[in-house]
Every structure is written in C-alpha cells, then in structure tokens.
Amino acid sequence: MAEGPHSNSTFPRPTFFILTGIPGLGPAQAWLTLVFGPMYLLALLGNGALLTLVQIDSTLQQPMFLLLAALAATDLGLATSIAPGLLAVLWLGPRPVPYSACLVQMFFVHALTAVESGVLLAMACDRAVAVGRPLHYPLLVTKARVGYAVLALALKAVAIVVPFPLLVARFEHFQTKTIDHAYCAHMAVVELVVGNTRANNLYGLALSLAVSGIDILGITGSYGLIAHAVLRLPTQEARAKAFGTCSSHICVILAFYVPGLFSYLTHRFGRHTVPKPVHILLSNIYLLLPPALNPLIYGVRTKQIRDRLLEIFTFRKSQF
C-alpha cells in the first residue's frame, strides 16, 4: 500500500521511488531505446573483448594495457549501473525502484565516475613518463605499481562517495516519490527532500570540483610535460610517433570530460534556460557514451590491440 501524504503535503520516507525517464516525452521516449540500447551493447561487447584480450595475451599484460583494462572494467560497471534500468523505463514507462536500491545505484554511479576520472589521470601520467623518460619507464612504471594505483583510486572513490547516500538517508520526509529522471542521481533525489539540503548541495559541488577539477589539472599538467618532451625531439617523424602514442588517450579524455562538463554546467548554471529533458538526456549520454566509444577508440587507434584482434579474426576464419 502506498504511503499517504501528511497534512503538510509531504510523504514519510518512501519504500520506493518512481523513475519517470525523460520528462515531457511520454510514450515517445521509447524510441530512445534505439539509441541507448546499441550504446549499451557496444559497451558490453567492446569492453568485454578488451578485458578478455588483455587477460589471454601475455604481451598485452604491461602497465599501459593494464590501465586500459582497468578503464574497461570501470566502463562495464558504469554502463551496467544505469543502462538496464534506463532501458526498462524508456521502453515500459515509469517504474518503481526500492528506496535502498536507489541509494545503492546512486553510490555506484558516482563512485565509478570518480574511478574513471582517476584512471584517465593515471593513464595521462603513464604516457608522460613513457614519452618524457622512456629509458626509465620500465623501472618507474611497473605492473605492481599500476595495481596499487588502481586499488588506491577505488578506495578513494568509495571514501568520497559514501557520504552521498548517507546524506540522503538522514532525511525523513519527501515532497513526492516521483523522480523525474532515468536513474537515481544524487541531485535528482535531493530535489524531492523536505528539509535543509545545503550540506548535500555543498558536498556535491565540492566533490565535483575536487575530483574532476584536480584530475583535469593533473591531466593538463601531464600533457604539458608530454608536449615539452615531444617538441624537444630532433625530427618531425619522431615527434609524430611520440604524439601518436597519446592520441587514443586524448580522444577518450574528450569523450568523457566534454559531455560531462556540458552536463554539469547546464545543471548548475542553465537550469532556467536549458529544458530539463535536455539536461537529463545529456546526463544519460554522458554516462553511456564513453563506455561505448572507448573500446572502439583503443581498438582502432592502438596498434597492438588492432593487430591482435586481426590475428584472432584471421585465425578463426581460417578454421572454417
């Protein structure tokens, strides 16, 4: 039985929320499954293939490719944390999600986003050492250090994101049980709260600036060092080859941060000028586009992965 409203038109803490998907689109939002469905399928197949390839091929078990495997695993988790529910809402219409499941989804979405940002920073540092100090690279960047770095990134993400669901769980009353969103984003749930949400707003802003801001500064600094090292190389061919080793990573960075930055700016500063359906659509694209594109980018632009995939497909064709 649904909880009845209080006399002041608020609800006690609900046993479930109702996700509506993209508000304003109604039944037409079912057509968006033709966009997000293939994106999720690409994320599953592409990242799964990369993880399998790194696992079975000993020549790819090097720091650069282990970081790529960490990125692929993060992408798989990020896409899976929202895509099944998103597709269900778009195709079947508004659906209930248990209160506890909503908080769990909130945690995983934000934690995995933080991990992905951190892995991109680690990959930028890896490329900076590879280009700037190639002779010392095998000593400075080892498989063990990569493992410790990824573990530290995961622990950091857990530590800084745990307050999100805890800050929401302290509230006892809500204006409504309907979330005008396709997944349980932190601010989408906070908008329903009856009470002082200043702590939630400030922590969300501080976390965005601390995580993305620091990671972007670190990536920018790493590529500043890379550019300095590349420009010191004697020939144009050597400079092109050195820069080519970073091209895939640059594309992945742009695919992750550009939609994310646009989504963040529209939410913080364009709430009265950018229609809410556009903002929610952008937030979903931001979480699904990088997991779908990253395997394609690395598969096409990284020679070792491209050659290994061609060998596998050629070998399979020769068996038939």
Side-chain angles (χ1 to χ4, degrees):
M1 177 184 293
E3 296 90 336
H6 283 188
S7 59
N8 58 358
S9 299
T10 66
F11 291 85
R13 179 184 295 168
T15 56
F16 62 89
F17 289 110
I18 298 176
L19 295 171
T20 63
I22 315 291
L25 296 185
Q29 68 181 354
W31 290 101
L32 289 175
T33 57
L34 299 178
V35 177
F36 291 117
M39 288 173 66
Y40 182 46
L41 184 61
L42 279 175
L44 289 179
L45 295 178
N47 290 294
L50 280 177
L51 285 171
T52 302
L53 199 60
V54 172
Q55 182 179 11
I56 65 175
D57 191 341
S58 59
T59 64
L60 296 180
Q61 292 174 7
Q62 304 170 25
M64 172 184 172
F65 297 106
L66 293 177
L67 285 171
L68 176 57
L71 182 66
T74 305
D75 281 338
L76 271 177
L78 186 58
T80 302
S81 67
I82 70 161
L86 167 65
L87 294 174
V89 170
L90 294 179
W91 186 254
L92 302 175
R95 70 182 186 94
V97 56
Y99 177 82
S100 57
C102 188
L103 296 185
V104 169
Q105 184 185 49
M106 180 190 303
F107 168 78
F108 277 106
V109 167
H110 293 289
L112 290 169
T113 302
V115 171
E116 177 137 352
S117 182
V119 172
L120 291 176
L121 172 59
M123 295 174 79
C125 295
D126 171 77
R127 291 300 85 201
V129 176
V131 174
R133 304 185 66 180
L135 297 179
H136 298 89
Y137 179 81
L139 296 176
L140 295 175
V141 184
T142 64
K143 291 192 288 186
R145 287 178 178 174
V146 167
Y148 292 139
V150 172
L151 178 60
L153 289 172
L155 293 176
K156 182 196 76 170
V158 170
I160 63 178
V161 174
V162 159
F164 269 155
L166 295 180
L167 285 171
V168 172
R170 66 194 174 100
F171 293 107
E172 297 291 339
H173 295 91
F174 293 78
Q175 300 172 17
T176 178
K177 294 182 288 187
T178 302
I179 302 176
D180 289 330
H181 213 298
Y183 64 91
C184 292
H186 173 249
M187 292 310 300
V189 178
V190 169
E191 288 177 355
L192 311 182
V193 166
V194 175
N196 187 349
T197 61
R198 183 177 178 84
N200 297 72
N201 295 329
L202 289 177
Y203 190 78
L205 177 61
L207 186 60
S208 297
L209 294 175
V211 175
S212 297
I214 291 175
D215 289 347
I216 289 174
L217 286 176
I219 290 170
T220 302
S222 297
Y223 273 94
L225 295 175
I226 290 172
H228 178 71
V230 168
L231 293 175
R232 294 174 60 186
L233 295 175
T235 65
Q236 182 67 29
E237 182 182 355
R239 288 193 289 269
K241 183 178 180 181
F243 185 74
T245 63
C246 306
S247 59
S248 298
H249 187 241
I250 292 173
C251 293
V252 169
I253 289 172
L254 294 176
F256 180 74
Y257 284 111
V258 171
L261 182 61
F262 192 70
S263 177
Y264 175 80
L265 292 176
T266 57
H267 178 75
R268 290 289 176 182
F269 306 108
R271 301 178 69 177
H272 301 294
T273 57
V274 178
K276 190 170 185 178
V278 174
H279 166 66
I280 294 176
L281 187 62
L282 286 174
S283 68
N284 286 284
I285 291 175
Y286 162 57
L287 294 178
L288 280 178
L289 184 63
L293 286 184
N294 291 350
L296 296 178
I297 293 172
Y298 277 105
V300 171
R301 301 186 67 88
T302 304
K303 185 178 184 301
Q304 295 95 320
I305 294 176
R306 186 172 64 248
D307 291 347
R308 189 69 179 93
L309 287 173
L310 288 175
E311 288 177 11
I312 293 174
F313 286 125
T314 302
F315 175 73
R316 287 186 175 180
K317 286 182 179 180
S318 66
Q319 289 184 319
F320 293 99

mmCIF file of all heavy atoms in Angstrom, residues 184-214:
data_model
loop_
_atom_site.group_PDB
_atom_site.id
_atom_site.type_symbol
_atom_site.label_atom_id
_atom_site.label_comp_id
_atom_site.label_asym_id
_atom_site.label_seq_id
_atom_site.Cartn_x
_atom_site.Cartn_y
_atom_site.Cartn_z
ATOM 1 N N CYS A 184 18.831 7.083 -10.345
ATOM 2 C CA CYS A 184 18.842 7.783 -9.058
ATOM 3 C C CYS A 184 20.093 8.644 -8.917
ATOM 4 O O CYS A 184 21.023 8.300 -8.176
ATOM 5 C CB CYS A 184 18.747 6.781 -7.908
ATOM 6 S SG CYS A 184 17.152 5.938 -7.809
ATOM 7 N N ALA A 185 20.114 9.749 -9.634
ATOM 8 C CA ALA A 185 21.197 10.713 -9.467
ATOM 9 C C ALA A 185 21.039 11.423 -8.126
ATOM 10 O O ALA A 185 19.919 11.639 -7.645
ATOM 11 C CB ALA A 185 21.187 11.723 -10.609
ATOM 12 N N HIS A 186 22.148 11.806 -7.529
ATOM 13 C CA HIS A 186 22.117 12.408 -6.195
ATOM 14 C C HIS A 186 21.240 13.650 -6.153
ATOM 15 O O HIS A 186 20.324 13.762 -5.331
ATOM 16 C CB HIS A 186 23.547 12.756 -5.760
ATOM 17 C CG HIS A 186 23.621 13.523 -4.486
ATOM 18 N ND1 HIS A 186 24.019 14.839 -4.427
ATOM 19 C CD2 HIS A 186 23.316 13.170 -3.212
ATOM 20 C CE1 HIS A 186 23.973 15.260 -3.182
ATOM 21 N NE2 HIS A 186 23.560 14.275 -2.420
ATOM 22 N N MET A 187 21.471 14.588 -7.062
ATOM 23 C CA MET A 187 20.721 15.838 -7.012
ATOM 24 C C MET A 187 19.255 15.635 -7.397
ATOM 25 O O MET A 187 18.380 16.375 -6.936
ATOM 26 C CB MET A 187 21.378 16.875 -7.926
ATOM 27 C CG MET A 187 22.741 17.350 -7.436
ATOM 28 S SD MET A 187 22.749 17.866 -5.696
ATOM 29 C CE MET A 187 21.560 19.210 -5.722
ATOM 30 N N ALA A 188 18.968 14.643 -8.239
ATOM 31 C CA ALA A 188 17.572 14.372 -8.606
ATOM 32 C C ALA A 188 16.783 13.911 -7.389
ATOM 33 O O ALA A 188 15.598 14.238 -7.242
ATOM 34 C CB ALA A 188 17.509 13.323 -9.706
ATOM 35 N N VAL A 189 17.417 13.149 -6.497
ATOM 36 C CA VAL A 189 16.742 12.703 -5.268
ATOM 37 C C VAL A 189 16.669 13.837 -4.260
ATOM 38 O O VAL A 189 15.643 14.032 -3.591
ATOM 39 C CB VAL A 189 17.470 11.483 -4.669
ATOM 40 C CG1 VAL A 189 16.807 11.046 -3.371
ATOM 41 C CG2 VAL A 189 17.491 10.327 -5.657
ATOM 42 N N VAL A 190 17.742 14.628 -4.163
ATOM 43 C CA VAL A 190 17.772 15.734 -3.199
ATOM 44 C C VAL A 190 16.679 16.754 -3.496
ATOM 45 O O VAL A 190 16.124 17.371 -2.578
ATOM 46 C CB VAL A 190 19.171 16.402 -3.202
ATOM 47 C CG1 VAL A 190 19.158 17.706 -2.413
ATOM 48 C CG2 VAL A 190 20.202 15.441 -2.614
ATOM 49 N N GLU A 191 16.342 16.926 -4.758
ATOM 50 C CA GLU A 191 15.289 17.877 -5.124
ATOM 51 C C GLU A 191 13.934 17.507 -4.522
ATOM 52 O O GLU A 191 13.055 18.364 -4.395
ATOM 53 C CB GLU A 191 15.160 17.948 -6.648
ATOM 54 C CG GLU A 191 16.324 18.670 -7.332
ATOM 55 C CD GLU A 191 16.194 18.652 -8.837
ATOM 56 O OE1 GLU A 191 15.255 18.007 -9.344
ATOM 57 O OE2 GLU A 191 17.034 19.280 -9.517
ATOM 58 N N LEU A 192 13.758 16.253 -4.144
ATOM 59 C CA LEU A 192 12.481 15.808 -3.577
ATOM 60 C C LEU A 192 12.412 15.970 -2.060
ATOM 61 O O LEU A 192 11.348 15.805 -1.471
ATOM 62 C CB LEU A 192 12.252 14.324 -3.909
ATOM 63 C CG LEU A 192 12.436 13.881 -5.351
ATOM 64 C CD1 LEU A 192 12.109 12.403 -5.471
ATOM 65 C CD2 LEU A 192 11.583 14.710 -6.289
ATOM 66 N N VAL A 193 13.538 16.301 -1.452
ATOM 67 C CA VAL A 193 13.636 16.291 0.010
ATOM 68 C C VAL A 193 12.900 17.482 0.620
ATOM 69 O O VAL A 193 12.907 18.588 0.075
ATOM 70 C CB VAL A 193 15.122 16.312 0.421
ATOM 71 C CG1 VAL A 193 15.283 16.654 1.899
ATOM 72 C CG2 VAL A 193 15.759 14.965 0.130
ATOM 73 N N VAL A 194 12.272 17.230 1.756
ATOM 74 C CA VAL A 194 11.720 18.299 2.585
ATOM 75 C C VAL A 194 12.709 18.526 3.730
ATOM 76 O O VAL A 194 12.888 17.659 4.582
ATOM 77 C CB VAL A 194 10.335 17.917 3.141
ATOM 78 C CG1 VAL A 194 9.830 18.999 4.102
ATOM 79 C CG2 VAL A 194 9.346 17.720 2.008
ATOM 80 N N GLY A 195 13.343 19.666 3.747
ATOM 81 C CA GLY A 195 14.340 19.944 4.769
ATOM 82 C C GLY A 195 15.488 20.745 4.197
ATOM 83 O O GLY A 195 15.493 21.142 3.018
ATOM 84 N N ASN A 196 16.484 20.992 5.020
ATOM 85 C CA ASN A 196 17.648 21.785 4.633
ATOM 86 C C ASN A 196 18.644 20.893 3.882
ATOM 87 O O ASN A 196 19.240 19.988 4.458
ATOM 88 C CB ASN A 196 18.302 22.382 5.881
ATOM 89 C CG ASN A 196 19.422 23.355 5.534
ATOM 90 O OD1 ASN A 196 19.852 23.445 4.389
ATOM 91 N ND2 ASN A 196 19.874 24.092 6.528
ATOM 92 N N THR A 197 18.797 21.145 2.594
ATOM 93 C CA THR A 197 19.687 20.321 1.760
ATOM 94 C C THR A 197 21.004 21.037 1.468
ATOM 95 O O THR A 197 21.719 20.661 0.532
ATOM 96 C CB THR A 197 18.995 19.971 0.435
ATOM 97 O OG1 THR A 197 18.693 21.192 -0.281
ATOM 98 C CG2 THR A 197 17.714 19.201 0.685
ATOM 99 N N ARG A 198 21.326 22.046 2.246
ATOM 100 C CA ARG A 198 22.541 22.819 1.990
ATOM 101 C C ARG A 198 23.786 21.933 2.023
ATOM 102 O O ARG A 198 24.678 22.067 1.188
ATOM 103 C CB ARG A 198 22.665 23.946 3.022
ATOM 104 C CG ARG A 198 23.864 24.859 2.799
ATOM 105 C CD ARG A 198 23.881 25.997 3.833
ATOM 106 N NE ARG A 198 25.043 26.854 3.654
ATOM 107 C CZ ARG A 198 25.110 27.852 2.798
ATOM 108 N NH1 ARG A 198 24.068 28.112 2.023
ATOM 109 N NH2 ARG A 198 26.189 28.586 2.702
ATOM 110 N N ALA A 199 23.845 21.020 2.992
ATOM 111 C CA ALA A 199 25.018 20.145 3.099
ATOM 112 C C ALA A 199 25.158 19.280 1.849
ATOM 113 O O ALA A 199 26.271 19.080 1.348
ATOM 114 C CB ALA A 199 24.906 19.270 4.347
ATOM 115 N N ASN A 200 24.051 18.759 1.341
ATOM 116 C CA ASN A 200 24.088 17.947 0.125
ATOM 117 C C ASN A 200 24.586 18.759 -1.069
ATOM 118 O O ASN A 200 25.420 18.294 -1.851
ATOM 119 C CB ASN A 200 22.702 17.390 -0.187
ATOM 120 C CG ASN A 200 22.191 16.465 0.887
ATOM 121 O OD1 ASN A 200 21.841 16.918 1.976
ATOM 122 N ND2 ASN A 200 22.143 15.171 0.605
ATOM 123 N N ASN A 201 24.075 19.981 -1.201
ATOM 124 C CA ASN A 201 24.461 20.822 -2.333
ATOM 125 C C ASN A 201 25.932 21.198 -2.261
ATOM 126 O O ASN A 201 26.648 21.128 -3.267
ATOM 127 C CB ASN A 201 23.599 22.092 -2.356
ATOM 128 C CG ASN A 201 22.131 21.791 -2.617
ATOM 129 O OD1 ASN A 201 21.810 20.825 -3.307
ATOM 130 N ND2 ASN A 201 21.247 22.594 -2.057
ATOM 131 N N LEU A 202 26.386 21.575 -1.071
ATOM 132 C CA LEU A 202 27.782 21.975 -0.921
ATOM 133 C C LEU A 202 28.721 20.792 -1.127
ATOM 134 O O LEU A 202 29.775 20.932 -1.760
ATOM 135 C CB LEU A 202 28.006 22.593 0.468
ATOM 136 C CG LEU A 202 27.376 23.968 0.697
ATOM 137 C CD1 LEU A 202 27.609 24.432 2.134
ATOM 138 C CD2 LEU A 202 27.944 24.986 -0.289
ATOM 139 N N TYR A 203 28.345 19.637 -0.584
ATOM 140 C CA TYR A 203 29.220 18.470 -0.755
ATOM 141 C C TYR A 203 29.269 18.037 -2.217
ATOM 142 O O TYR A 203 30.320 17.659 -2.725
ATOM 143 C CB TYR A 203 28.744 17.307 0.121
ATOM 144 C CG TYR A 203 29.748 16.170 0.157
ATOM 145 C CD1 TYR A 203 30.881 16.264 0.946
ATOM 146 C CD2 TYR A 203 29.581 15.022 -0.619
ATOM 147 C CE1 TYR A 203 31.819 15.248 0.984
ATOM 148 C CE2 TYR A 203 30.516 14.001 -0.601
ATOM 149 C CZ TYR A 203 31.630 14.120 0.203
ATOM 150 O OH TYR A 203 32.564 13.114 0.217
ATOM 151 N N GLY A 204 28.128 18.079 -2.903
ATOM 152 C CA GLY A 204 28.117 17.736 -4.323
ATOM 153 C C GLY A 204 28.996 18.661 -5.133
ATOM 154 O O GLY A 204 29.753 18.219 -6.005
ATOM 155 N N LEU A 205 28.928 19.971 -4.851
ATOM 156 C CA LEU A 205 29.754 20.935 -5.569
ATOM 157 C C LEU A 205 31.231 20.729 -5.245
ATOM 158 O O LEU A 205 32.078 20.716 -6.145
ATOM 159 C CB LEU A 205 29.325 22.355 -5.198
ATOM 160 C CG LEU A 205 30.127 23.493 -5.816
ATOM 161 C CD1 LEU A 205 30.037 23.455 -7.340
ATOM 162 C CD2 LEU A 205 29.635 24.841 -5.282
ATOM 163 N N ALA A 206 31.539 20.549 -3.948
ATOM 164 C CA ALA A 206 32.934 20.356 -3.542
ATOM 165 C C ALA A 206 33.507 19.087 -4.152
ATOM 166 O O ALA A 206 34.662 19.070 -4.600
ATOM 167 C CB ALA A 206 33.027 20.293 -2.016
ATOM 168 N N LEU A 207 32.703 18.027 -4.188
ATOM 169 C CA LEU A 207 33.186 16.771 -4.751
ATOM 170 C C LEU A 207 33.450 16.900 -6.245
ATOM 171 O O LEU A 207 34.467 16.402 -6.755
ATOM 172 C CB LEU A 207 32.172 15.663 -4.495
ATOM 173 C CG LEU A 207 32.596 14.250 -4.892
ATOM 174 C CD1 LEU A 207 33.834 13.833 -4.125
ATOM 175 C CD2 LEU A 207 31.469 13.255 -4.642
ATOM 176 N N SER A 208 32.566 17.577 -6.964
ATOM 177 C CA SER A 208 32.765 17.763 -8.399
ATOM 178 C C SER A 208 34.048 18.534 -8.675
ATOM 179 O O SER A 208 34.834 18.173 -9.561
ATOM 180 C CB SER A 208 31.567 18.504 -9.011
ATOM 181 O OG SER A 208 30.386 17.751 -8.877
ATOM 182 N N LEU A 209 34.264 19.608 -7.905
ATOM 183 C CA LEU A 209 35.465 20.417 -8.105
ATOM 184 C C LEU A 209 36.718 19.664 -7.673
ATOM 185 O O LEU A 209 37.754 19.722 -8.360
ATOM 186 C CB LEU A 209 35.347 21.723 -7.313
ATOM 187 C CG LEU A 209 34.242 22.684 -7.773
ATOM 188 C CD1 LEU A 209 34.158 23.887 -6.839
ATOM 189 C CD2 LEU A 209 34.489 23.141 -9.203
ATOM 190 N N ALA A 210 36.626 18.927 -6.572
ATOM 191 C CA ALA A 210 37.808 18.231 -6.055
ATOM 192 C C ALA A 210 38.219 17.076 -6.945
ATOM 193 O O ALA A 210 39.408 16.887 -7.222
ATOM 194 C CB ALA A 210 37.534 17.735 -4.637
ATOM 195 N N VAL A 211 37.235 16.280 -7.398
ATOM 196 C CA VAL A 211 37.557 15.103 -8.204
ATOM 197 C C VAL A 211 37.878 15.498 -9.642
ATOM 198 O O VAL A 211 39.012 15.364 -10.115
ATOM 199 C CB VAL A 211 36.404 14.079 -8.162
ATOM 200 C CG1 VAL A 211 36.688 12.925 -9.106
ATOM 201 C CG2 VAL A 211 36.233 13.548 -6.748
ATOM 202 N N SER A 212 36.871 16.008 -10.351
ATOM 203 C CA SER A 212 37.084 16.340 -11.756
ATOM 204 C C SER A 212 38.090 17.474 -11.921
ATOM 205 O O SER A 212 38.948 17.436 -12.807
ATOM 206 C CB SER A 212 35.759 16.721 -12.415
ATOM 207 O OG SER A 212 34.860 15.627 -12.394
ATOM 208 N N GLY A 213 37.985 18.494 -11.052
ATOM 209 C CA GLY A 213 38.899 19.635 -11.176
ATOM 210 C C GLY A 213 40.345 19.234 -11.009
ATOM 211 O O GLY A 213 41.207 19.588 -11.824
ATOM 212 N N ILE A 214 40.650 18.477 -9.945
ATOM 213 C CA ILE A 214 42.038 18.062 -9.703
ATOM 214 C C ILE A 214 42.522 17.113 -10.788
ATOM 215 O O ILE A 214 43.660 17.216 -11.266
ATOM 216 C CB ILE A 214 42.156 17.404 -8.310
ATOM 217 C CG1 ILE A 214 41.943 18.462 -7.218
ATOM 218 C CG2 ILE A 214 43.507 16.725 -8.136
ATOM 219 C CD1 ILE A 214 41.930 17.908 -5.817
#
